[in-house]
Amino acid sequence: MEPILFVMAILGCGESDAACREVRLDQARYRSEASCMAATEAALLRSGDLAFPTIVAHCRPDGARAQPLRGSEVLRPGPAPDRAPRFAAVRSSR
C-alpha cells in the first residue's frame, strides 16, 4: 500500500458567501497533512500577487477532488497589531 501524499491548493475567496476558486496548486507533495499545514504560511506569502480579499491554503490528499468552500466558511486569523488579516489556512476534512 502506497503512502498517502498531500497537496496544497491555493484558493481565492471573496468576503461574501460566494464560492472560493482554486487558483493555484502548489507543486510540492507532502508526506503528511501536518507537513502540508506547516508549509501553508510560506505558500500564502508567495501568493500575494492574487487579487482576492482572502487567500486560503487547503491541504488535501493527492488525487482527492476539490471540495467547495465559501468565503464565509474560511477560518480567518485575528488581526495582527499592524495589519488586517489577508491569509487563512483551512484544515482538510477527511
Side-chain angles (χ1 to χ4, degrees), residues 4-89:
I4 296 175
L5 296 177
F6 286 82
V7 296
M8 183 188 317
I10 304 297
L11 294 88
C13 303
E15 293 181 6
S16 66
D17 203 32
C20 299
R21 287 189 5 210
E22 186 173 306
V23 293
R24 204 172 273 162
L25 191 61
D26 194 54
Q27 296 300 312
R29 298 296 181 260
Y30 303 91
R31 292 189 179 269
S32 69
E33 184 178 16
S35 63
C36 181
M37 292 297 294
T40 58
E41 183 176 358
L44 290 169
L45 290 173
R46 288 191 306 271
S47 299
D49 62 320
L50 300 173
F52 290 90
T54 304
I55 300 169
V56 179
H58 185 227
C59 294
R60 65 177 186 240
D62 192 12
R65 296 180 67 197
Q67 296 176 344
L69 184 67
R70 302 207 172 277
S72 61
E73 298 172 322
V74 174
L75 297 175
R76 291 178 175 85
D82 61 339
R83 61 184 162 90
R86 175 155 155 74
F87 304 116

